Amino acid sequence: MIFPYLKWASPEGGEQNYVLTADEVLIGRKSDANIVLTNPYVSRHHAKLMKREQGYFISDLNSTHGTYVNGERIEKRELRGGDRICLGQDQVELLYFTGEAATTSISCLKEVDDLEKSINQLASILPAEYSDLEKISSILDFQYQWRKTFSAEKTFHHILHSALKISGAERGFILLKQPEGFEYVVGMDGSGRMLSQSDFRTSKTVVSRVATEGEAVFMSEGIAGEFGQQESILAMHLVAVACLPLQWISAQSDTLEVEGILYLDSTKTMHVLSGLDQKILNKLALEAANVFEKLEAIKSSEERKRLEQELAMAQETQKSLLPHSLPQFENFYIHAFNQPTRYVGGDFYDFLQPNNGDWIGVLADVSGKGIAASLLSSLLQGALHMQCRSGAEPEEALNRVNQFLCEKTAAEKFATLFLFALNTEGSGRFINAGHNPAYLFREG
């Protein structure tokens, strides 16, 4: 049977395919999606494919940057063979095929488009009025496409050096959002010396204000008002503070949020920050945020790649647990096939030959999908092997395995199973433990 499928290019440039068999297929940036796309402009749950009698439909799930089919933004659309699906601001592309041979190479098209985009960006930074951070941002775009090594630490240093030079501050810190709040990442003083975490002290009130409101605070010639009486400011003898939000779309969000802080302070007055200077610092913060967003995208892509490598190894391990050969004896022909929806799954088949010479065949389905289901299926398969090889009758073996699973697994986890025992003369018996009905076809 020929199934429809989706085809797209991975961040590394290779082609990926996803065969469509399920009633619903979720596409998004979050790891629980069936098809995970790490681009920051793809929403966590971006779109969903739904199976109907006439084929698959695609629905946008109120994504921030939209779903497009053949260049038209859609809410819901029936898919036809060869349709081009694009997601988000970067137009992440997937091609839909109904089973016919695909002649379009999406990876080649996307590589050419991405390379052209990156080269155009690099060309656009040649004029002198473009800043170094804009160059870094464009180079990171290029690096993101071609997976070169780039030092995040050097990027942080460049950001701080530029901010300290513009403002005349004595110290500068970059803070990034963590579950517990905004925490130190890197620091530098006005002479370019790196500051360790032991040197890290900031006005928590100023940082909290900027993080909450998303607006920069500039006080270059004295600290007045509510901030002037804060204990941390008085204790550090500060007379100047500048604090700017770094905002981008993180892997955990679909909207622009404050994900970092650029913090500058001084015990002396900083440079008089004119309206132009403040605009320059705000521009610096905006460019820095673009760099951080790209670094996060690169990190997410690398983590996804490592996870896929680990899952591929798990897939090979699970395949090795299936029978390497099928029973062969007169008057019978046995065929078996297993293809998990993801890398690994909870379905398996097996053939066992206990001491009496009969063959026992097993077809099982563990609830759920993915790694959790595969672990439980391996446990079930191992327990069945031990019981059947102990000489226990099939009924007794299944009762023992059932008791074992009840003791070792959570209440919401379960498995269904069909078992048959067959001898070479053609007689046998079967046990159905909540599995789909089996069919027996007779001649005539």
Side-chain angles (χ1 to χ4, degrees):
M1 183 175 181
I2 298 176
F3 295 101
Y5 63 96
L6 290 175
K7 182 179 181 181
W8 71 98
S10 69
E12 295 76 33
E15 280 189 358
Q16 290 190 283
N17 296 291
Y18 187 95
V19 179
L20 299 170
T21 57
D23 291 337
E24 292 187 350
V25 176
L26 181 62
I27 304 173
R29 198 174 74 247
K30 197 174 179 183
S31 60
D32 63 352
N34 302 106
I35 298 176
V36 178
L37 304 171
T38 56
N39 187 283
Y41 293 106
V42 172
S43 296
R44 286 174 293 175
H45 291 167
H46 195 108
K48 180 185 289 186
L49 270 65
M50 296 169 292
K51 190 177 184 180
R52 299 291 184 264
E53 287 186 8
Q54 58 269 50
Y56 276 90
F57 284 73
I58 185 169
S59 290
D60 182 79
L61 301 178
N62 297 317
S63 64
T64 304
H65 298 285
T67 299
Y68 299 79
V69 175
N70 300 329
E72 180 183 348
R73 187 163 184 168
I74 59 97
E75 296 297 327
K76 184 176 181 180
R77 173 75 62 85
E78 180 181 357
L79 291 174
R80 301 186 183 280
D83 276 351
R84 178 186 179 193
I85 303 167
C86 293
L87 307 179
Q89 180 175 311
D90 286 346
Q91 296 286 287
V92 177
E93 183 179 279
L94 304 93
L95 296 182
Y96 173 78
F97 295 100
T98 54
E100 296 84 357
T103 57
T104 305
S105 176
I106 188 170
S107 61
C108 292
L109 289 175
K110 189 172 191 323
E111 285 174 9
V112 171
D113 289 344
D114 289 341
L115 179 59
E116 184 178 355
K117 178 181 175 182
S118 297
I119 290 174
N120 287 339
Q121 277 193 295
L122 286 170
S124 72
I125 64 174
L126 293 176
E129 63 265 26
Y130 280 78
S131 73
D132 287 341
L133 271 175
E134 282 176 314
K135 295 178 183 179
I136 290 176
S137 183
S138 293
I139 292 169
L140 271 173
D141 265 334
F142 190 83
Q143 188 268 340
Y144 180 65
Q145 307 302 337
W146 296 100
R147 314 298 302 151
K148 300 295 183 183
T149 302
F150 192 89
S151 170
E153 185 178 1
K154 290 181 180 178
T155 307
F156 299 160
H157 294 174
H158 191 102
I159 293 167
L160 285 176
H161 179 76
S162 299
L164 290 166
K165 185 177 180 180
I166 294 168
S167 66
E170 291 179 323
R171 305 187 314 157
F173 295 101
I174 290 176
L175 293 69
L176 292 182
K177 186 163 70 174
Q178 305 294 337
E180 300 79 17
F182 287 85
E183 296 184 359
Y184 164 93
V185 174
V186 65
M188 180 185 289
D189 67 16
S191 63
R193 183 176 65 89
M194 303 311 301
L195 300 176
S196 67
Q197 191 162 3
S198 62
D199 300 314
F200 172 63
R201 292 181 67 192
T202 64
S203 168
K204 294 182 179 179
T205 307
V206 174
V207 170
S208 178
R209 166 75 69 84
V210 172
T212 302
E213 298 183 0
E215 298 290 338
V217 169
F218 295 103
M219 295 176 287
S220 59
E221 296 181 281
I223 302 174
E226 61 175 301
F227 297 126
Q229 302 304 314
Q230 297 298 320
E231 290 185 9
S232 57
I233 289 178
L234 294 172
M236 291 187 288
H237 307 290
L238 298 180
V239 298
V241 170
C243 189
L244 299 93
L246 306 178
Q247 303 181 70
W248 66 87
I249 300 174
S250 73
Q252 290 75 41
S253 175
D254 293 331
T255 58
L256 200 66
E257 295 181 0
V258 178
E259 299 292 338
I261 297 287
L262 174 58
Y263 177 90
L264 309 165
D265 67 17
S266 182
T267 58
K268 304 174 183 178
T269 58
M270 295 194 292
H271 295 163
V272 176
L273 296 178
S274 65
L276 178 61
D277 293 327
Q278 292 185 17
K279 286 181 180 179
I280 292 172
L281 281 174
N282 280 320
K283 176 65 172 169
L284 178 74
L286 177 62
E287 293 174 0
N290 289 336
V291 170
F292 278 113
E293 184 173 342
K294 290 177 175 64
L295 285 170
E296 186 174 278
I298 292 169
K299 182 180 178 181
S300 297
S301 178
E302 290 172 345
E303 290 175 349
R304 180 68 185 171
K305 184 178 179 180
R306 283 196 296 269
L307 177 61
E308 287 179 347
Q309 290 173 341
E310 292 174 1
L311 286 173
M313 293 177 63
Q315 184 181 43
E316 290 302 313
T317 301
Q318 190 172 42
K319 281 183 179 179
S320 71
L321 297 177
L322 297 176
H324 295 172
S325 60
L326 300 178
Q328 300 288 332
F329 49 89
E330 190 176 356
N331 300 323
F332 291 96
Y333 173 74
I334 296 176
H335 177 75
F337 173 77
N338 178 273
Q339 178 64 52
T341 305
R342 301 176 185 174
Y343 284 92
V344 292
D347 301 340
F348 73 88
Y349 65 88
D350 206 351
F351 293 96
L352 313 168
Q353 191 168 28
N355 297 330
N356 61 8
D358 292 351
W359 278 101
I360 293 177
V362 177
L363 181 64
D365 181 6
V366 172
S367 62
K369 299 183 183 299
I371 295 175
S374 72
L375 291 173
L376 185 53
S377 71
S378 298
L379 181 67
L380 173 58
Q381 189 178 8
L384 274 171
H385 263 269
M386 292 185 64
Q387 290 300 323
C388 290
R389 293 186 185 280
S390 71
E393 290 295 315
E395 298 89 341
E396 183 183 358
L398 285 189
N399 281 330
R400 290 178 181 175
V401 170
N402 184 57
Q403 183 178 357
F404 173 73
L405 290 180
C406 288
E407 293 173 355
K408 297 295 183 180
T409 60
E412 69 273 10
K413 297 294 183 182
F414 64 91
T416 63
L417 180 146
F418 180 83
L419 178 148
F420 67 88
L422 194 66
N423 61 35
T424 56
E425 297 176 355
S427 62
R429 50 189 169 153
F430 69 86
I431 301 171
N432 192 329
H435 205 67
N436 294 329
Y439 291 91
L440 176 63
F441 294 93
R442 300 183 184 276
E443 185 179 2

